[in-house]
Amino acid sequence: MNKKSILIVDDEESIRVSLEAILKKQYYVNTAETGLKALKMLQNDHYDLTLSDIKMDDMNGIALLKKVKEKFPKIPVLLMTGYSSLNTAIEALRLGASDYLIKPCYKKEVFASVARCLKNNTTGNDEELNRKFQEKLNVLPVQKSLTKRELEVFSNLLSGMSDKDMSEKMAVSLPTIKFHLQNIYKKSGVNGRKGVLKIISSYKVR
């Protein structure tokens, strides 16, 4: 199996060195101290994942995420954040981040999150998932279209899976699953998991 390549972006040298030491045993790793340098490196070389801090001076992680999704949409982005910027991490998920790590990050958590993001990058395209789940989706009064990931979560919800089971099956963190569920509830105008299942039950007996 070919080694995957990871670009680490952080303006703190100690963080870059630490993460590189952790990941280089299993992946090819390069580092960048600024978002602008990271974009140049992404332009010149292939990377399977970008791992970036959110709080940086020249270009913060959110701005970098937007640029990566605009110029290199197939490259997943994993962001790191402190507890004080957790709301920013949630916003990052809305903008297309694959997942986020909360500092301080332990070795096991870093490996698990990186593996999740790389695994999820092999999933199918939006059109395929829309066709696959459209019939199930019709049972909900959804006013806004669901994203690819929300469609996956919704399908698993209909299968009766718990949040924890979804997290393991989809290889994402539990907070990420809860984030997508909240979006589904909001878009469909129903009150939580029980509300979704109630609508589905009433639909089946018609």
Side-chain angles (χ1 to χ4, degrees):
M1 181 182 295
N2 293 330
K3 270 189 175 183
K4 299 293 186 179
S5 57
I6 299 174
L7 177 59
I8 297 170
V9 190
D10 199 304
D11 56 4
E12 292 187 37
E13 183 178 6
S14 60
I15 300 295
R16 296 197 306 273
V17 171
S18 176
L19 288 172
E20 182 177 13
I22 290 173
L23 294 170
K24 69 180 182 180
K25 296 178 181 179
Q26 190 168 333
Y27 304 100
Y28 292 116
V29 180
N30 275 327
T31 65
E33 64 271 20
T34 68
L36 291 175
K37 182 176 179 180
L39 289 173
K40 291 181 180 179
M41 294 175 70
L42 288 168
Q43 183 70 47
N44 295 328
D45 297 293
H46 168 77
Y47 291 95
D48 297 292
L49 173 69
T50 300
L51 171 57
S52 174
D53 189 20
I54 286 182
K55 189 175 181 181
M56 297 186 292
D57 290 335
D58 78 312
M59 175 187 289
N60 65 36
I62 298 298
L64 177 60
L65 168 65
K66 291 179 179 179
K67 289 291 185 180
V68 172
K69 288 303 171 184
E70 175 186 338
K71 297 182 177 182
F72 317 100
K74 293 184 178 181
I75 300 177
V77 178
L78 171 60
L79 293 175
M80 298 177 291
T81 179
Y83 284 102
S84 60
S85 57
L86 186 55
N87 287 337
T88 306
I90 298 299
E91 179 62 21
L93 289 175
R94 299 180 191 277
L95 295 172
S98 296
D99 207 346
Y100 62 87
L101 281 165
I102 297 178
K103 293 181 177 179
C105 309
Y106 296 99
K107 181 178 179 179
K108 184 177 180 180
E109 295 172 332
V110 173
F111 269 118
S113 292
V114 167
R116 283 196 297 262
C117 290
L118 290 172
K119 179 180 178 180
N120 289 337
N121 201 41
T122 63
T123 57
N125 59 44
D126 291 350
E127 291 183 2
E128 180 181 353
L129 285 167
N130 270 296
R131 289 195 301 269
K132 182 178 180 181
F133 301 136
Q134 189 60 50
E135 183 176 348
K136 293 181 178 179
L137 185 62
N138 286 338
V139 305
L140 286 179
V142 178
Q143 299 177 354
K144 297 181 180 179
S145 61
L146 300 184
T147 65
K148 177 180 70 174
R149 190 55 95 203
E150 288 165 0
L151 286 169
E152 291 182 85
V153 171
F154 176 64
S155 180
N156 290 329
L157 175 62
L158 295 189
S159 299
M161 296 181 66
S162 67
D163 294 2
K164 183 178 179 180
D165 288 339
M166 289 187 209
S167 174
E168 294 176 355
K169 178 183 178 182
M170 297 173 62
V172 296
S173 64
L174 190 57
T176 299
I177 291 294
K178 293 183 181 296
F179 165 78
H180 291 309
L181 284 171
Q182 288 302 316
N183 276 349
I184 292 171
Y185 302 151
K186 184 177 180 181
K187 290 179 179 180
S188 60
V190 298
N191 186 21
R193 178 185 289 263
K194 290 183 179 180
V196 173
L197 298 180
K198 183 177 180 180
I199 291 175
I200 294 170
S201 297
S202 64
Y203 176 84
K204 288 180 178 180
V205 298
R206 287 176 184 176

